[in-house]
Amino acid sequence: MGDDTRFRDRITRDRLLLAAVLVVGIAGTGIVRRQLGLLGFNDLGRLVFIFGYGLTVFAVWYGWIRPLDITGPGTEREVPPSGSSIEGSDRNGSDDATDGSRGDPTTQANDRPN
């Protein structure tokens, strides 16, 4: 009985709708295209298949992929703006600070203890 409950939990309304969209959009348009080809309307069948397949791709993107919140690594990490560095060095490796010290470029020379 535990397996039946887990199977029922996996079958959601959203997943059933996705399966129906894929079956109708891909298999259904393929079947209609074949039948129209057998009846002598091959060009119309091609258009039906292309239009149906395109709508299926759009529906899957719009309904299931577009709403996803896809983000990269954690947002806690501070990323410096493009062209700058955290240590204050330029591309040649020289320091921004005039007193020869390395570290935070916002720290002034007179803020340090002597």
Side-chain angles (χ1 to χ4, degrees):
M1 284 213 294
D3 293 333
D4 187 37
T5 305
R6 284 188 278 153
F7 182 72
R8 285 184 189 170
D9 291 340
R10 288 188 211 167
I11 302 297
T12 63
R13 195 173 191 174
D14 196 40
R15 289 184 180 182
L16 287 174
L17 182 61
L18 176 62
V21 166
L22 292 176
V23 167
V24 170
I26 297 172
T29 57
I31 291 169
V32 171
R33 188 256 185 270
R34 172 73 175 155
Q35 293 302 319
L36 287 171
L38 291 175
L39 293 172
F41 300 106
N42 200 24
D43 292 336
L44 180 62
R46 287 180 186 160
L47 289 175
V48 166
F49 182 76
I50 291 169
F51 187 67
Y53 196 86
L55 280 177
T56 301
V57 169
F58 177 76
V60 169
W61 170 79
Y62 189 79
W64 287 273
I65 297 173
R66 184 186 57 89
L68 294 177
D69 184 24
I70 301 172
T71 58
T75 58
E76 294 84 31
R77 186 174 62 127
E78 183 178 328
V79 179
S82 177
S84 67
S85 66
I86 294 175
E87 293 183 16
S89 299
D90 62 5
R91 290 184 183 156
N92 298 332
S94 63
D95 295 331
D96 287 339
T98 57
D99 64 349
S101 64
R102 294 188 64 84
D104 187 10
T106 60
T107 304
Q108 300 296 324
N110 57 3
D111 291 343
R112 293 189 190 107
N114 290 333

